[in-house]
Amino acid sequence: MTRGTYWLEHAWLGDCVEPGVTVEVADGRITAVRTGTDAPPPGAEILRGLTLPGLANAHSHAFHRALRGTVQVGSGTFWTWREVMYSVADRLTPETYHALARAVYAEMALAGITCVGEFHYLHHDRGGARYADPNAMGEALIVAAAEAGVRITLLDTAYLSSGFGERPTAHQLRFSDGSADAWAERCSVLKEQDHARIGAAIHSVRAVPAEQLATVARWAEERRAPLHVHLSEQTAENDACLAAHGVTPTRLLADHGVLGPRTTGVHNTHLTDEDIALLGDSGTGTCMCPTTERDLADGIGPAVALQRAGSPLSLGSDSHAVIDLLEEARAMELDERLRTRTRGHWTAAALLRAATEDGHAALGWPEAGAIEPGRAADLTTIALDSVRTAGPPPRLGAETAVFAASAADVRHTVVGGRHVVRDGAHTLVPDVPRALADAIAALSG
Ligand SMILES: [Zn+2]
């Protein structure tokens, strides 16, 4: 049994900042939390700053990290951006994707992310040829997460069509299993590990024919696994769905048994009042990805109304225009301020809840996301003495972290009691910028 003790200079305990907190850890779990310990116990690892529960990045496509910078040249829309994204997808192999994902997940660990939801649809070789191991790509991502020291939920994604009644395009042949039954057969072979859980995803209502949606939903139901779906990110998707089926994408998902408390709609940007009620009443979650949504000119989703209707909120860095969960959290609030010209839609505590406890729940890790006995020993420490965070009193540490800190202020990341980032340096991947540069350079040839 591996044991350890951490002393947290300041800790976020869900509703307040507590000074001097000792956390005992055994076998990856928190066994005791003691407040009011002014000095570190002998032998304790000292975490100076404000320690939060580990951050959950609920929506990632690791390979999009290779687009950073490149896609900022010129103008266009989501759809022109997608063409550039497809050209990168065309070049990936299990080997190059493993190297890229390892570097991207290491960047996430440096940003305080302890768990990633990888919405994974790049399954097959060029032209759709099957690899000898049909899950070679997904397995490469699971290994990459282990090497970067973070938890992963591999949201294995069904992607079968390019639009309503349309066969996959040449690019999309790598994504398609041919049918939802073939998708289910392939991903049933994937094995969970200590750091890895398997969930399901429906790429979108464009990408899975309506009559096959229930197959994916049933697969997730049988395993009590999370089920994610890109939902109404673009008005063009809504228009095409209305033309093909006479209903909105949300209504289509509801009619085929996709909605429910283990389901998360990603983006949920362009919704009707009825859509919001369907999502809220069914307890379906909403994953907001504000830095991507603004980068791709998607629009601002109705997160306030969704949460009020009963949809729990989580956050994701999606296309990795930046990887910074603190920025995602404040962007959700700040976008709403711009839209409504009023302040204070969410407190810092509510934004942190989306970034921690509710994000983990959306990824099927309900034991993570809080500093409490019995919970996973996943901790993220934000410096309160950096050029961005110095000044405010520690009791306002949550407000400072959410509204002023950045990923660069993450000093420590602990995952399952293991110190993955210490004093801002990754303990498993020695040179993360170099790993990113090399992995991305290998794709440009
Ligand atoms: Zn996405």
Side-chain angles (χ1 to χ4, degrees), residues 154-171:
L154 188 76
L155 297 159
D156 195 296
T157 305
Y159 196 131
L160 308 171
S161 54
S162 71
F164 297 93
E166 292 170 28
R167 295 189 45 74
T169 64
H171 290 299

Side-chain angles (χ1 to χ4, degrees), residues 59-61 64 78 81 119 121 203 230 233 266-267 289 292 296 317-319:
H59 190 65
S60 161
H61 309 282
H64 293 191
F78 170 90
W81 168 89
F119 196 108
Y121 54 84
H203 179 275
H230 288 133
E233 181 178 5
V266 181
H267 305 302
C289 307
T292 292
L296 296 181
S317 66
D318 189 2
S319 69

